[in-house]
Amino acid sequence: MKVKVVHSTLGCEESSCPTIYQNESGDFVIQGFKLKPEDKQNINLPQGEDAVVVPKEFLQQFVEKQHA
């Protein structure tokens, strides 16, 4: 799958910061911080899916950028 960066954390020059990518079909891939197993206990995650945490300010900036 080929992806391109469409939003990255301001001031982050490394690839270890939350980032939003877009693939060839237009779907988004979100890089965030892994949840601890105990934090996933109340989330119903089907096999093959996972959950990550991204700062709310990061997502707000992305949404604002999409509406600009």
Side-chain angles (χ1 to χ4, degrees):
M1 169 185 359
K2 288 186 178 185
V3 295
K4 64 178 180 178
V5 174
V6 293
H7 183 66
S8 58
T9 303
L10 297 175
C12 182
E13 307 303 325
E14 302 173 12
S15 62
S16 62
C17 297
T19 303
I20 298 176
Y21 304 88
Q22 193 167 28
N23 67 15
E24 305 100 340
S25 65
D27 292 332
F28 295 105
V29 177
I30 300 179
Q31 173 185 341
F33 302 103
K34 291 175 76 172
L35 287 164
K36 297 176 188 171
E38 59 269 21
D39 293 334
K40 294 182 188 183
Q41 290 179 350
N42 295 321
I43 302 174
N44 184 19
L45 291 170
Q47 187 173 358
E49 291 187 8
D50 210 340
V52 296
V53 175
V54 293
K56 68 179 180 178
E57 295 83 9
F58 173 77
L59 289 177
Q60 287 171 333
Q61 291 167 355
F62 174 69
V63 169
E64 290 170 4
K65 183 176 168 183
Q66 298 305 298
H67 289 30

